[in-house]
Amino acid sequence: HKAYDPPSKCKVYSFGLFDFTDHLKTVVSEVLINFPGTQAISSKIYTETEANSALQRIEEACMPDKLRPINQQGKVAIACLCDQTFSNPYETFSLMMLSKLLTDGTSSPLYKALIESNLGDSYSPLIGYEHQMKDSVFALGVQGCLDDKEHLQKISNAISDILTNLAKTGFDEGSINKTIHDTIYNSRKTRESYGLQLIHKMVHPTLYEADPFIVFRTTEFANKLREDYKNSKIFQDLINKYLLNNPRSKIHFIMRPDENFSKKLASAEQEKLVQITNQLTEDRKKAINLDSEKLKNRQAENENIDVLPKIGLEHIPTLKEFPVHTTHILSNGVPVWYFDQPTNGITHVRIKFDTKKISPALKPFLPLCFELLPYLGTKKRKHDEFEKLLHSCSSGISTRLDVYDYSNSVDKHNETLTFSFSYLDENITPAMTLIGEFLSDYDFDDSTLLLSAMRIKAVDKGISVSSEGMQYALGYASSGMKSYANEYE
């Protein structure tokens, strides 16, 4: 750490409508001044120089999942080394769009070829265009597949066939419009810690000695991409250049579960520690022990809390502020509340349905129902067509099942199914038209689509068991105290 990451090499970012000059002066005078003359080893990140057009095959072991048969836990991906991430910012942006076109959503070509066809349960952990490194990588693959030679070859052939076909035909205009709209929408949508998220995006170009303000050129690049799509074969060219005829390294990566993986990993780590220890001189060992003792003593010291910002009761408003809204009653008696807020040119809508009167026999199926709703089409349009149209003018539909009681009674409660969506202000007419079509005419008759969606949800639930144990425990405990909670347990 002392050699590669001294404070003198730090980058300072700020976000907000205030002058940061005085803060920088404080950082220099109070912090950096304490590290005079630090000579750091260069930590410049170099690009990959070796080109190898031959397909390399790499196999590794991984931890098995005890909830599934071990012969159905294969992971496979084909990865291609691309150019430096920020050497051509517009091409990086275009590759990101290509990645989304190939993999995003149940109507994407790779989803249909790999997941819907049962070649795998879900995408591989590394999927699409990875641009967080200096040399970017494009990877396509699946996990949860059969671990046999014939099945793995089917996956490889499916990926190759899809790319070859798309290199000839390209993508349809609806998919292009959907992807570009989603990108512009997400760049304008303000979220919690919006400033920190922007700064995080600026870190990588800074590390790679590129312009950190590239992240603010999304709309510019999106408009240019629209024009290039109309006037050229930009996506076909990218597929040929980086995925089919790439002269740089291409890797066929396979991971297989190994029941002795943990033991082998612990043994390898122990061998490495012994090797490192044997290479240390006695003076180096003494220095490490001394540094460890200093760190231990430093951690045992009482922190000076006086340097931290403070908040007291005097800083908390005594009166609670409620957002101002206007109410309009529709002809069928449904109230609509309007809130005028600064939203960066985006309108947000929530529609709530009361589910308390649904039969108790059907309520256990509500959680599954609301999770499947975003996968549905309508009586007029199949899911693929409807999804492209909806995402070309809105954020798409998300659903949530809310069950909560009153603060003064455990016997009274509310149950609502909430549909949420948003759209750019200029897209109000097409967005509301499609939302109305979905809510009044959704289609549950596509059994193949529903089965595929349920399989994805089942995999997600299985993966989340280890990380959401507390949520399951709270739900089970709540079901024993409240009658309505028991219906959804």
Side-chain angles (χ1 to χ4, degrees), residues 355-367 486-488:
T355 60
K356 287 179 67 175
K357 296 181 180 180
I358 293 179
S359 167
L362 295 177
K363 282 188 178 180
F365 298 99
L366 265 180
N486 186 56
E487 294 176 353
Y488 293 100

Side-chain angles (χ1 to χ4, degrees), residues 155-344:
I155 295 172
S156 180
N157 291 342
I159 294 174
S160 178
D161 291 344
I162 282 293
L163 294 178
T164 302
N165 182 57
L166 289 172
K168 296 177 181 178
T169 63
F171 298 91
D172 64 273
E173 188 174 0
S175 298
I176 303 291
N177 291 334
K178 168 186 174 299
T179 302
I180 292 179
H181 170 271
D182 287 349
T183 303
I184 296 176
Y185 171 88
N186 288 326
S187 70
R188 290 172 59 176
K189 183 179 180 181
T190 56
R191 301 173 176 84
E192 186 178 359
S193 304
Y194 181 66
L196 289 177
Q197 293 178 28
L198 287 176
I199 288 174
H200 176 73
K201 293 179 180 179
M202 298 170 70
V203 169
H204 290 96
T206 303
L207 289 175
Y208 305 141
E209 301 175 340
D211 180 11
F213 293 98
I214 290 173
V215 299
F216 297 101
R217 299 174 66 185
T218 298
T219 302
E220 171 195 339
F221 289 157
N223 290 334
K224 176 174 171 54
L225 186 61
R226 275 200 182 101
E227 292 301 316
D228 287 347
Y229 170 72
K230 294 177 182 178
N231 303 321
S232 67
K233 297 181 178 181
I234 180 170
F235 291 113
Q236 293 96 312
D237 293 342
L238 290 173
I239 291 174
N240 280 313
K241 179 180 179 181
Y242 289 109
L243 301 180
L244 293 178
N245 305 313
N246 192 342
R248 306 192 73 188
S249 297
K250 181 180 288 186
I251 294 174
H252 192 171
F253 190 81
I254 300 172
M255 293 194 77
R256 291 188 168 95
D258 185 346
E259 294 179 338
N260 297 316
F261 180 79
S262 297
K263 293 180 181 179
K264 293 179 180 179
L265 181 63
S267 177
E269 289 179 347
Q270 185 60 36
E271 290 178 4
K272 186 175 182 179
L273 287 174
V274 171
Q275 183 182 9
I276 293 174
T277 303
N278 292 336
Q279 293 176 348
L280 295 175
T281 64
E282 289 300 320
D283 290 342
R284 184 58 183 149
K285 291 179 181 179
K286 291 179 181 179
I288 292 175
N289 289 332
L290 181 60
D291 286 343
S292 299
E293 189 65 26
K294 288 180 180 179
L295 177 61
K296 179 180 178 181
N297 294 334
R298 176 67 182 85
Q299 291 173 335
E301 294 178 2
N302 293 326
E303 298 287 348
N304 180 16
I305 62 174
D306 292 333
V307 301
L308 299 175
K310 301 175 180 62
I311 185 171
L313 293 176
E314 66 275 10
H315 298 106
I316 302 175
T318 56
L319 298 177
K320 185 176 181 179
E321 294 185 7
F322 292 92
V324 178
H325 70 276
T326 57
T327 303
H328 175 70
I329 306 298
L330 301 180
S331 58
N332 58 2
V334 176
V336 181
W337 289 10
Y338 295 91
F339 298 83
D340 188 12
Q341 298 290 327
T343 57
N344 205 18

